[in-house]
Amino acid sequence: MTLFWSIYVGVLVTSNLALAIFLYFYGTRVKIPIEGDGTTGHSWDNGHLRESVRRLPRWWAVMSLTSILVAIGYLVLFPGFGNYKGLLGWTSEKQVSEAREENAARLEELFERYRKYPVDKLSDDATARQYGHRLFQDNCAACHGAQAEGGHGFPALTVNGDDGDYVVATALTGRTGVMPPWGQVLGEEGVKDVANYVLSLSNEPHDAASATAGKPKFEQTCVACHGADGHGNKALGAPNLADQSWIYGKDLATVEQTIRDGRSGHMPAWKDRLGEDQVRLIAAWLRHNALEHRASEDAVPVADTRP
């Protein structure tokens, strides 16, 4: 606080406190002229109502004096009088710093215990998962969804979140995935054929003849990243094309757009913000969540579509 504002605050506080003290002593000792009947002489309703005068009650005087003394004591002990720091030396920054240090010490005890175990083992610990889920909601849910279900342009971690080491490495250092445009290489008809073949890998509705024509084109242009079976390559950031997870949508027009124009995705590094300890807890929850999601899908009975 500058000298000007320190003086301004000091004058303001002193003036208000002095006024409060003056009003207290004035209000408890002032004598108001009254008439013989104990009233001020003011009347209403043609003299039926007259203004009476009584001394301030004792409880009001005690409460007011206590409030003044507390205010003076506060100004002596705590900062509130310009740049005066108070006898206790208290500051909000100091209190926050002490609270953060105390919280960091508690977390360190927790992290020290969890550092002994790999992510796969941590996913079996309910407390670790609870911390991980909270950290995920605070830092990751905006892009990947509250339950890691993903969203448009962001992968569903219910599918590939079971690999703890991969999740940790990705979150700490970030990852960039680039799908190059293939429109000029394949042509419009080739884009359509490859899109239908991609849809056939995950049993989505597609044109069978077009998919058959697209298979050799897929093998010529796409297997280097997505593999011959379309299961993708995590190291390259190439998604699995044979599962039920779609980052941009599974309709034919969207798949064609991806193949024709390409895509670019960037996962920022979270090492500086979260650190390895917190990222490992997030990965533990993601692994447990992904395994539960997979188990629930496997438990759903498949309808018999035979004629």
Side-chain angles (χ1 to χ4, degrees):
M1 185 183 298
T2 64
L3 179 61
F4 170 79
W5 288 112
S6 177
I7 296 175
Y8 173 81
V9 171
V11 171
L12 192 64
V13 170
T14 303
S15 301
N16 279 272
L17 189 58
L19 180 61
I21 295 173
F22 168 76
L23 290 176
Y24 170 78
F25 286 104
Y26 178 79
T28 55
R29 287 169 172 75
V30 63
K31 294 184 182 294
I32 300 177
I34 59 175
E35 297 186 356
D37 60 357
T39 67
T40 62
H42 296 161
S43 63
W44 296 269
D45 192 21
N46 296 322
H48 291 88
L49 296 176
R50 299 176 66 83
E51 182 179 359
S52 178
V53 177
R54 297 181 183 275
R55 294 183 62 84
L56 291 172
R58 186 180 298 275
W59 66 263
W60 182 93
V62 172
M63 184 182 68
S64 298
L65 180 60
T66 302
S67 299
I68 292 174
L69 294 176
V70 169
I72 294 175
Y74 179 90
L75 291 174
V76 172
L77 297 175
F78 297 93
F81 194 77
N83 285 331
Y84 174 67
K85 299 183 181 302
L87 296 179
L88 297 180
W90 179 92
T91 64
S92 58
E93 292 92 347
K94 182 179 179 181
Q95 184 176 16
V96 171
S97 177
E98 291 175 350
R100 293 182 64 180
E101 290 176 0
E102 181 181 355
N103 186 59
R106 292 179 179 178
L107 289 176
E108 179 59 28
E109 294 180 5
L110 179 74
F111 294 149
E112 185 177 3
R113 175 158 56 96
Y114 287 147
R115 290 188 193 114
K116 302 175 183 177
Y117 305 103
V119 173
D120 294 356
K121 183 69 174 178
L122 283 180
S123 65
D124 297 329
D125 188 294
T127 303
R129 296 198 306 268
Q130 182 180 8
Y131 275 101
H133 190 197
R134 172 54 58 192
L135 289 168
F136 179 89
Q137 290 180 324
D138 291 344
N139 299 278
C140 315
C143 294
H144 294 287
Q147 296 298 320
E149 69 275 14
H152 184 76
F154 303 98
L157 303 180
T158 52
V159 177
N160 56 11
D162 58 331
D163 189 338
D165 293 336
Y166 176 79
V167 171
V168 170
T170 300
L172 288 177
T173 61
R175 193 176 298 276
T176 299
V178 178
M179 164 74 180
W182 292 98
Q184 293 184 355
V185 175
L186 296 172
E188 196 60 35
E189 192 65 25
V191 167
K192 178 182 178 182
D193 292 341
V194 172
N196 276 281
Y197 177 71
V198 169
L199 291 173
S200 72
L201 293 175
S202 55
N203 297 319
E204 297 292 341
H206 61 279
D207 184 294
S210 181
T212 300
K215 181 178 180 180
K217 299 172 185 176
F218 179 90
E219 293 173 345
Q220 293 173 4
T221 57
C222 309
V223 295
C225 295
H226 294 284
D229 52 6
H231 286 177
N233 188 325
K234 289 182 178 181
L236 298 176
N240 186 349
L241 304 178
D243 58 22
Q244 299 300 315
S245 175
W246 297 86
I247 301 177
Y248 296 100
K250 60 182 179 180
D251 59 284
L252 180 61
T254 300
V255 177
E256 287 181 349
Q257 179 185 357
T258 299
I259 297 172
R260 181 190 308 109
D261 303 326
R263 300 284 187 181
S264 178
H266 175 67
M267 164 71 181
W270 291 83
K271 183 177 182 180
D272 292 338
R273 171 165 174 163
L274 293 175
E276 184 173 354
D277 290 325
Q278 296 189 78
V279 166
R280 292 178 75 251
L281 293 179
I282 294 175
W285 177 78
L286 283 174
R287 172 177 166 76
H288 181 81
N289 185 56
L291 294 177
E292 279 195 337
H293 181 80
R294 185 179 304 163
S296 65
E297 286 189 337
D298 293 341
V300 176
V302 179
D304 190 348
T305 57
R306 292 176 296 178

